[in-house]
Amino acid sequence: SPAQAAPAPDIRELLKRCSRSSLESLLVSKFDGGFLSVEEVEAQLVPTAPPSRAMLSGTERVGTGAFDELDCDVFTAIVTELDLRDRLQVATCVCKGWRFLKDVSHLWTSMRVAGSSSESSWRDRGSHDRVTVSNSGLTRLLDWVGAASLTELRLHTGDAALQPWTVTSTLSAVPAIKVLHLGGKKVNAAVMEATAKAAFAPTLREIHIGEDVAGSEARIL
């Protein structure tokens, strides 16, 4: 049987794939008369971009647009200027190629954390200069950033959001702390005892105890 002719292309779909400037030029050329053929429209099609390369494991950044052209050191320097919450979102929520930021230790040396009774993700809560977490969320966050890299921790428990046992386990997991701020109603005798026994205690340079996790109304001991 004779081969069937290929269906005519949908002119509306073709027009969507043409740039505005090329269409304008084509229409002007036909202004004095003549018909606009499908072939002439097809000649103006914007080339289809090649498929992006699959993201492999490792630190390679591919398929991230203009960021592909940035040297990793330059890219990291840009991320350093972001607030903590934005840094965490960039490192975890954008694309696989940016997850190498997790291993850039100087991005995670200082952390301001406030307790929340909700189990909602830290991505959806808190101001940009701090993250708001639940008891389990704080544990997961420290596991992710690598608690050993922290040298400054500002921790506010809230009224009852972070329990003392969460705070004490956190203090035992951060051996390199030099500056510590503790605030909230759950900073009790057990928390203070854990602070005194923590691995960082002999080299601790500064400790603030008070309601304000930033330390502006805290007592310096």
Side-chain angles (χ1 to χ4, degrees):
S1 60
Q4 293 182 345
D10 187 336
I11 189 64
R12 290 170 296 186
E13 293 300 320
L14 292 178
L15 291 175
K16 290 179 183 178
R17 293 172 53 195
C18 297
S19 67
R20 179 173 178 173
S21 60
S22 64
L23 286 176
E24 288 177 348
S25 299
L26 195 56
L27 290 174
V28 168
S29 69
K30 297 295 181 180
F31 185 76
D32 294 329
F35 295 99
L36 186 61
S37 68
V38 172
E39 289 75 16
E40 288 175 305
V41 175
E42 288 179 328
Q44 304 301 319
L45 295 180
V46 175
T48 303
S52 59
R53 291 169 54 190
M55 182 58 62
L56 306 176
S57 60
T59 61
E60 185 181 22
R61 286 184 291 116
V62 178
T64 62
F67 289 102
D68 284 1
E69 305 302 320
L70 288 178
D71 176 87
C72 282
D73 290 339
V74 174
F75 181 69
T76 301
I78 294 172
V79 175
T80 302
E81 299 301 314
L82 299 177
D83 291 318
L84 174 62
R85 185 179 174 215
D86 290 334
R87 249 178 281 159
L88 285 165
Q89 288 182 311
V90 164
T92 61
C93 302
V94 178
C95 66
K96 291 180 181 179
W98 291 14
R99 292 179 188 171
F100 79 95
L101 295 168
K102 173 182 180 293
D103 299 319
V104 182
S105 60
H106 72 262
L107 292 177
W108 319 112
T109 58
S110 177
M111 189 164 294
R112 181 178 179 182
V113 181
S116 167
S117 58
S118 169
E119 290 295 325
S120 299
S121 168
W122 51 261
R123 300 185 186 101
D124 304 319
R125 305 183 60 85
S127 66
H128 287 277
D129 62 344
R130 74 171 190 271
V131 291
T132 308
V133 295
S134 63
N135 287 281
S136 59
L138 178 56
T139 301
R140 292 195 302 269
L141 178 61
L142 291 176
D143 286 343
W144 188 86
V145 300
S149 64
L150 277 177
T151 58
E152 180 176 345
L153 177 63
R154 301 166 186 260
L155 178 62
H156 198 291
T157 67
D159 289 345
L162 295 181
Q163 296 300 313
W165 59 264
T166 300
V167 180
T168 56
S169 63
T170 295
L171 295 175
S172 66
V174 286
I177 291 295
K178 304 298 182 185
V179 176
L180 178 65
H181 293 222
L182 294 173
K185 292 184 177 181
K186 293 300 180 178
V187 178
N188 58 13
V191 170
M192 298 310 301
E193 182 179 358
T195 302
K197 294 180 178 179
F200 58 74
T203 56
L204 189 65
R205 294 199 304 263
E206 188 176 304
I207 181 170
H208 297 243
I209 307 297
E211 279 302 306
D212 187 352
V213 73
S216 61
E217 298 178 2
R219 293 184 292 111
I220 303 176
L221 303 181

